[in-house]
Amino acid sequence: MKQRWHRVTQTAMVAASLAAFVTGGHFAAKAVIEAQQSRQLVELTDVALRRSETAVDFGAATLDELARRGPLNCDPASLQAVRLQVYQRSTVKDIRLVDRNGSVICSAYSETLEFDNGLVNRPDMLRSDDRRLLLFRVDQFSGVALGVLRDVDENTSLVAILGINSYVFDIMPAELREHSEVLLELNNGSEVGQFSTKRHSEFSNLVSLGNVSNRYPLHATIRVERSALERWHTQAYWPTMLIASVLGLVFGLLLTRTTARLEGPIADIDRALARHDFKPFFQPTFDLRTGAIRGCEVLARWVREDGITIPPMSFIPLAESSGRIEPMTWQILAAALKDLYPRLREDKYFKLSFNVVPRHLLSDGFVEELRRIVLGAKVSARQVVIEVTERSEMPDLAKAAAVVRELRELGFRVAMDDVGVGHSGLSQIKGLGANIIKIDKFFVDTITEDASAIAIVEMLVRLARDLKMTVIAEGVETPDQVRALIACGVEEGQGYIVSPPLPFAKFDELLETSRTQAFAEAAVREAALVA
Ligand code: C2E
Ligand code: CA
Ligand code: CA
């Protein structure tokens, strides 16, 4: 359940991270694309304005050129020269000589006058920044044009009529050309040039960008349909989204791993408890003289989901310090009792030992919970041994002794583990009142080489006899050690010489073979007697 919940939160975390990155990526990509689009549109309005200014410059240059040639009049030869100027400049449509009020005196192409819709009065014309020119709109029946006026003397002025047409304004990129209009207006708002492939009314939802000239009273505007803009230069969108998705996934996965790590090993223990991943392994204890199996010690193993088995020293200390040792101990004991139930029922002398840390032994309700579990498993208390290590100091010896007394009264047996290497002196061994002394592997290792090890083991055996305790030697690996231990008076052992700790199925097999062997041995002995 917890595991499934963990999966759900992990998936949710990855999904949330993905969503956040994709959303962020969407807005970032849009912002980048929009910034790029508006930069390009501003550049285009700049182009439109520069071209318009150049058209005005050409017009002004033409008028300068004519004014420079001397006094102007309307005789055919002069008009011929003027027409040549018009011919040479593509944007200049006509040149006129006008009086102070702006009334036309004569024109290069007098026919064009017929197209005019009347001329603007001088006060309504707009002055260029250098004050040399006046700009105004020329209304024509077929459209609009830009008029540029330059004074020649007190009475006369020259006017160039400029066509601001597609040549100047057809600047839009192909994707936008059908969906945009380019406008040139005087600063008083009157339109003097326009380019688009459709009529203004045919456009919908336009985005508008403008640019103002600092030399002439002109400004250029580009209007683009929003729908066309949304399709323009959007190539960056999907690659950006792809990158955002990958980043979102990577970030989400890293996040789950980091939080899992932050949750830490204690959360791992909790999950393992919930999944019952802590398993009892069983190591036999045996009669040192006959090798007959007398019982077993239950040793915890963490069998992880991936099949890796973790030894107890890698998790017992943390379980102890984080307060998980109690549920872990009960879980392992209950499982061990269940596994071993048939064997315990069959052989009333078979004993099962399990390890309890001092803190747990001293905790409230320990005895009651132990009874409840053992009773629940229908196992006799006489077959259960509680091993208490004396590796670390027993915090409250008096209380520990009281608990041990209570346990013994209920029929349980108590073993003092790791004797000889821990904190307790002989008085503590006496004081606790246990039934069994387990001699630490350290002495068994050295018993074949070191006389002082022999002396200590002999001393412990004597003490045990005095106190009516039994002795078990731990970590027996060789026949030499067996002989040396027997010589010291030790009767029982535990160690790799018979078997390492085994998972239940293997341990059960071991019991089975040793039983049939013992049966065979007994049968042979009996046969020998009869003979
Ligand atoms: P321990 O109670 O002294 O258990 C005996 C340890 O010696 C076991 O190590 C066992 O595998 C190892 N051993 C037995 N015979 C031999 C041998 O011939 N040679 C060698 N080299 N080693 C041998 P393990 O299983 O790794 O357990 C280590 C310690 O972890 C135990 O020492 C015990 O203090 C603790 N432990 C194990 N299971 C539990 C548990 O369920 N609860 C608590 N509180 N502690 C546990
Ligand atoms: Ca032990
Ligand atoms: Ca031990």
Side-chain angles (χ1 to χ4, degrees):
M1 181 66 198
K2 242 183 182 167
Q3 188 66 18
R4 176 142 27 97
W5 180 240
H6 184 64
R7 286 256 164 75
V8 170
T9 41
Q10 279 192 330
T11 315
M13 231 183 265
V14 175
S17 155
L18 189 64
F21 271 76
V22 165
T23 313
H26 168 76
F27 286 115
K30 281 212 101 155
V32 168
I33 289 167
E34 272 169 28
Q36 188 188 0
Q37 287 177 343
S38 63
R39 198 173 51 244
Q40 294 201 355
L41 287 178
V42 167
E43 272 167 23
L44 286 169
T45 59
D46 218 41
V47 171
L49 204 61
R50 293 290 97 78
R51 287 196 183 180
S52 310
E53 286 174 350
T54 310
V56 175
D57 289 342
F58 275 146
T62 312
L63 299 184
D64 285 348
E65 172 73 20
L66 289 171
R68 204 170 45 77
R69 289 199 187 156
L72 278 157
N73 52 55
C74 292
D75 66 41
S78 298
L79 286 178
Q80 182 66 28
V82 173
R83 272 201 286 275
L84 185 64
Q85 289 292 330
V86 173
Y87 180 72
Q88 284 172 347
R89 314 276 185 183
S90 64
T91 51
V92 179
K93 301 295 172 207
D94 193 10
I95 290 175
R96 294 161 189 176
L97 190 65
V98 298
D99 67 13
R100 200 63 207 163
N101 302 323
S103 303
V104 178
I105 303 165
C106 61
S107 168
Y109 295 97
S110 50
E111 303 84 355
T112 63
L113 293 172
E114 290 167 25
F115 303 130
D116 282 9
N117 220 354
L119 263 189
V120 175
N121 293 326
R122 192 178 173 100
D124 294 331
M125 297 179 178
L126 302 176
R127 213 168 261 290
S128 64
D129 272 43
D130 64 3
R131 314 196 62 76
R132 291 178 56 241
L133 302 172
L134 287 169
L135 271 65
F136 57 96
R137 167 179 159 131
V138 181
D139 260 314
Q140 292 174 323
F141 290 114
S142 60
V144 288
L146 174 62
V148 177
L149 180 145
R150 178 198 193 280
D151 291 327
V152 179
D153 52 42
E154 269 105 83
N155 301 317
T156 51
S157 310
L158 277 168
V159 167
I161 307 293
L162 306 178
I164 306 294
N165 50 22
S166 61
Y167 163 75
V168 178
F169 273 179
D170 192 359
I171 54 171
M172 295 305 281
E175 305 94 312
L176 298 183
R177 196 168 177 270
E178 306 292 317
H179 306 279
S180 60
E181 55 180 358
V182 185
L183 299 173
L184 184 69
E185 288 165 319
L186 287 171
N187 284 354
N188 62 11
S190 53
E191 187 181 307
V192 289
Q194 189 256 3
F195 178 82
S196 72
T197 56
K198 292 195 273 192
R199 273 202 302 273
H200 182 75
S201 58
E202 290 171 46
F203 288 112
S204 63
N205 202 358
L206 288 163
V207 177
S208 177
L209 266 122
N211 206 338
V212 182
S213 165
N214 45 26
R215 292 169 51 213
Y216 300 120
L218 291 170
H219 63 263
T221 306
I222 287 179
R223 297 205 189 106
V224 188
E225 281 185 309
R226 192 176 292 280
S227 54
L229 212 50
E230 272 160 11
R231 292 190 299 271
W232 186 46
H233 277 322
T234 52
Q235 302 91 322
Y237 184 80
W238 289 111
T240 309
M241 292 306 277
L242 185 71
I243 292 169
S245 311
V246 171
L247 285 178
L249 267 181
V250 170
F251 184 80
L253 290 173
L254 282 177
L255 196 68
T256 57
R257 291 188 61 177
T258 319
T259 49
R261 216 173 299 136
L262 286 179
E263 268 189 350
I266 296 174
D268 288 345
I269 288 184
D270 285 339
R271 268 194 293 279
L273 276 171
R275 297 160 46 94
H276 289 250
D277 281 348
F278 297 107
K279 302 282 186 217
F281 272 46
F282 302 83
Q283 188 181 28
T285 51
F286 55 91
D287 186 315
L288 280 173
R289 286 172 193 278
T290 66
I293 294 174
R294 292 279 178 78
C296 64
E297 177 175 1
V298 174
L299 293 156
R301 295 291 183 271
W302 181 348
V303 182
R304 273 190 356 197
E305 206 178 356
D306 55 15
I308 293 172
T309 299
I310 302 174
M313 277 322 182
S314 305
F315 59 88
I316 296 282
L318 181 64
E320 193 177 347
S321 64
S322 64
R324 270 56 170 186
I325 191 74
E326 289 87 357
M328 187 184 288
T329 302
W330 296 139
Q331 203 174 85
I332 291 164
L333 175 65
L337 288 170
K338 191 166 171 239
D339 283 343
L340 222 54
Y341 175 76
R343 191 64 63 180
L344 290 164
R345 290 305 290 246
E346 186 184 83
D347 179 356
K348 289 291 173 194
Y349 294 99
F350 195 96
K351 299 206 171 45
L352 176 148
S353 303
F354 74 103
N355 295 281
V356 170
V357 297
R359 205 189 82 164
H360 189 190
L361 182 84
L362 296 175
S363 66
D364 291 340
F366 172 79
V367 178
E368 290 72 34
E369 185 63 10
L370 174 66
R371 274 195 77 192
R372 201 184 61 77
I373 290 170
V374 173
L375 261 166
K378 299 193 180 66
V379 173
S380 158
R382 302 203 171 276
Q383 292 181 275
V384 176
V385 182
I386 297 106
E387 289 192 15
V388 188
T389 183
E390 63 128 9
R391 242 172 230 285
S392 52
E393 207 167 357
M394 181 62 77
D396 183 345
L397 188 62
K399 186 171 179 199
V403 176
V404 168
R405 208 176 312 122
E406 197 185 343
L407 287 170
R408 289 185 61 170
E409 276 162 16
L410 290 167
F412 291 104
R413 273 155 229 263
V414 179
M416 206 164 182
D417 206 353
D418 309 317
V419 168
V421 294
H423 278 73
S424 59
L426 297 183
S427 61
Q428 195 165 328
I429 299 174
K430 268 190 215 168
L432 189 66
N435 311 70
I436 301 159
I437 285 175
K438 291 191 88 169
I439 297 176
D440 193 81
K441 180 175 185 298
F442 174 78
F443 299 104
V444 177
D445 281 344
T446 46
I447 200 163
T448 49
E449 294 133 34
D450 190 341
S452 63
I454 297 177
I456 290 172
V457 172
E458 282 174 341
M459 187 269 295
L460 287 172
V461 169
R462 262 198 313 278
L463 178 76
R465 276 196 194 127
D466 290 349
L467 299 172
K468 303 209 165 41
M469 296 168 92
T470 47
V471 176
I472 301 178
E474 288 185 318
V476 185
E477 291 178 349
T478 66
D480 281 349
Q481 290 170 344
V482 173
R483 278 189 287 275
L485 287 165
I486 292 172
C488 290
V490 182
E491 290 175 350
E492 229 176 291
Q494 178 181 343
Y496 291 177
I497 191 167
V498 170
S499 169
L502 297 171
F504 178 69
K506 287 259 169 63
F507 180 66
D508 204 39
E509 266 173 39
L510 176 78
L511 288 180
E512 198 53 44
T513 43
S514 81
R515 199 167 63 153
T516 46
Q517 251 171 27
F519 179 79
E521 277 167 19
V524 169
R525 255 201 313 273
E526 221 162 278
L529 278 177
V530 171

